[in-house]
Amino acid sequence: MTYSSMTYSNVTFPNIAFQTPRLTAAALSSSALPHAKSTLSTELATLLTSNVKRHLPPDLQAVSDTESALCWLVQTLEDCQFVAVRLADDDALVGFFLLYVEVNAQRGGQPRLASPHYSLRLGYVVAETFQGQGLASEMVEGLITWCQTSGVVSSLSGGAEADNLPSIKVLEKNGFVRERNDEFHQGNTVFLTLML
């Protein structure tokens, strides 16, 4: 399998793209943004309702219209990979992943001898109109399958507010385990990790 790639903080990482029975997912590169910005910023402004933003970080709370959605997207693409997730049959934007790449010095306690392996920190959002249909689990399952197939990802981790039980359940259903000694614990956030 051949992947195009992007560079984040001097780390080159393949662009993510996958399909599931109901969804297609593809990373947006900064070079593709000029062609997609009008449509995508409108879709994001619509997707990010007050109910959806309730559990999201402050930068996403600030998205209220097409212009703020575009500003957020441009800034986000500098730091992470934005993966748009769409319905396979009609291309409607279901949600998205934000994937932050970290390089691992070792895998399984052994010194690195071959190609690098990465840890990914993820955040994900599902549009209000698509919640409760199992699409969040399908998104995460598709991402896990891609990571396993890529051969370059050693772990996925994510966090959710303690009262965001649906998000925590999605991650746990897909094999993520709550971190016991979380050195990055922030307030009421629950952190979970999946080793691949």
Side-chain angles (χ1 to χ4, degrees):
M1 199 173 285
T2 304
Y3 303 110
S4 58
S5 62
M6 291 190 67
T7 302
Y8 305 95
S9 304
N10 299 322
V11 174
T12 300
F13 187 79
N15 278 337
I16 293 175
F18 62 84
Q19 293 184 330
T20 69
R22 297 182 289 173
L23 304 170
T24 61
L28 176 67
S29 67
S30 50
S31 62
L33 182 59
H35 306 292
K37 69 181 179 183
S38 176
T39 302
L40 188 54
S41 58
T42 300
E43 290 174 317
L44 286 171
T46 302
L47 183 148
L48 292 167
T49 63
S50 58
N51 281 338
V52 169
K53 294 190 295 187
R54 184 176 65 225
H55 296 289
L56 299 180
D59 62 328
L60 278 163
Q61 297 284 342
V63 175
S64 59
D65 57 21
T66 301
E67 185 176 327
S68 59
L70 180 58
C71 289
W72 171 81
L73 188 58
V74 169
Q75 181 67 36
T76 297
L77 286 173
E78 292 178 12
D79 299 325
C80 70
Q81 194 165 126
F82 175 93
V83 179
V85 181
R86 299 181 176 280
L87 287 179
D89 60 356
D90 76 358
D91 208 37
L93 185 66
V94 168
F96 59 87
F97 288 108
L98 298 178
L99 299 165
Y100 298 84
V101 179
E102 300 171 343
V103 178
N104 292 330
Q106 296 183 347
R107 182 173 185 184
Q110 299 300 316
R112 178 137 345 274
L113 299 174
S115 64
H117 285 85
Y118 303 95
S119 293
L120 295 181
R121 286 184 298 116
L122 73 96
Y124 69 92
V125 175
V126 176
E128 194 171 355
T129 55
F130 294 110
Q131 292 178 2
Q133 301 175 32
L135 293 173
S137 285
E138 190 170 329
M139 285 171 57
V140 172
E141 184 179 352
L143 175 63
I144 291 167
T145 300
W146 182 91
C147 290
Q148 291 169 331
T149 304
S150 75
V152 298
V153 179
S154 61
S155 68
L156 288 167
S157 62
E161 290 183 2
D163 63 346
N164 189 355
L165 296 178
S167 186
I168 293 169
K169 286 181 181 179
V170 163
L171 294 175
E172 289 179 332
K173 177 182 177 182
N174 281 285
F176 285 72
V177 176
R178 292 180 193 223
E179 296 179 10
R180 295 180 195 267
N181 299 319
D182 180 15
E183 62 191 71
F184 303 109
H185 185 72
Q186 300 169 358
N188 69 344
T189 303
V190 175
F191 290 93
L192 302 99
T193 299
L194 174 66
M195 300 305 293
L196 299 170

